[in-house]
Amino acid sequence: MTNVEQLELLYEIFDASLPRLAPGDTASTGKALDYALKALGRSDGLQVLDLGCGNGASTLELARRGIGAITAVDNHGPFLEELLKRAKGADVADRIQTLEADMATIAFDVGDYDLIWSEGSMYNMGVEAGLKHFRAGLKPDGVMALSELCWMKEEVPATCREFFMAEYPPMQDVPANLRMMESCGYTVLETSTLPESAWWLDYYLPLESRLATLQEKYAGDEDRMGVLATVAQEIAMYRGNSDYYGYVFYVLQV
Ligand SMILES: C[S@@+](CC[C@H](N)C(=O)[O-])C[C@H]1O[C@@H](n2cnc3c(N)ncnc32)[C@H](O)[C@@H]1O
C-alpha cells in the first residue's frame, strides 16, 4: 500500500459522517467554555479560532453559545464541508468561517483572538510548539483551551506504555503538561479530565461500527486489514487501560 493509499484509508475510517473525531462531549466543551468566558469577563463579540476543528464537534457548541465570530481551521476539506452542513442544520452557520489550511501556517496578527480552541488537535504540531506559536495570536487577556492525551498514573502496564511510546511518544502526565504550559507563558485556570463516556458514546463506539463495515469490505486485503487492526488495537487498549491514561482539558490564560 502506498502512503497515499494509507492516508485515503485513514480518511475512510475517520469519515466526516462520524459524530466526532476525538474523545469529547458537549458537556466538557461547555464546561471549559464557561471557565474561559469567566476569565475573559465577557461572553459575546469574541474573535475565536478553533484549530483542527474536524467535522465541528467543538465548533458547533461554541457557535450555539453565540460567543462571537469563529474561524474553524482544518486541513481536510470534507470535514469542513460536513461542519458547514451541520452548522446550517443548527442555524449557526453565520457565526462560523471555515479555513482549509495547515494550522501551523495560518496567518494571524498579534492579538487577533480572544479565544483559541483546540480539542484533540494541538498534537498535530506538538503541544509545546503550538502553545508558543499561538500565544502571540491571543489578546493580552486571551484564553487558550485545549484537550490532550495524558498519562493519569505513574505506574502503567508495560504493554500500554509501549503502545503509546510507539503511537504518541510526546505524551506526558498532567503535572509535566502544567509545567510546560506555564513555561510557555500561560496561567493555568482549570484542568478537567474527560469522563470515560466521552471516549465511548460519540467516538469509539461509532468508530467500532465503522471498523466492522470496513473489515467486511477489505476482508482478504492484508495491508488494509492491518491498518484497521491498529485502530481496533487502540480502542482495545483503552477498554483495558482507561485508568492509566485520559484526555484532559486545560484552560489557560495569557
Ligand atoms: C483528532 S481530530 C480532532 C477533531 C475535532 N477537534 C474533534 O474533537 O472532533 C484532529 C483534527 O486535526 C486535523 N488536522 C491534522 N493535522 C492538521 C494540520 N496540520 N492543520 C490543520 N488541521 C489538522 C485533522 O484533519 C482532524 O480533523
Side-chain angles (χ1 to χ4, degrees), residues 78-97:
F79 288 159
L80 296 175
E81 284 164 25
E82 178 67 22
L83 183 160
L84 282 177
K85 196 171 99 188
R86 293 180 188 187
K88 280 180 193 140
D91 204 19
V92 294
D94 58 334
R95 300 170 183 176
I96 301 168
Q97 192 186 6

Side-chain angles (χ1 to χ4, degrees), residues 35-47 110-116 134-145 185-187 189 251-254:
Y35 279 109
L37 297 180
K38 194 168 164 214
L40 286 164
R42 49 198 194 282
S43 57
D44 58 13
L46 303 177
Q47 291 297 323
V110 172
D112 267 352
Y113 294 102
D114 299 283
L115 179 60
I116 298 183
F134 288 108
R135 193 180 183 284
L138 285 166
K139 295 196 170 129
D141 65 348
V143 170
M144 163 92 73
Y186 295 86
T187 300
L189 302 176
V251 183
L252 319 171
Q253 192 163 30
V254 171

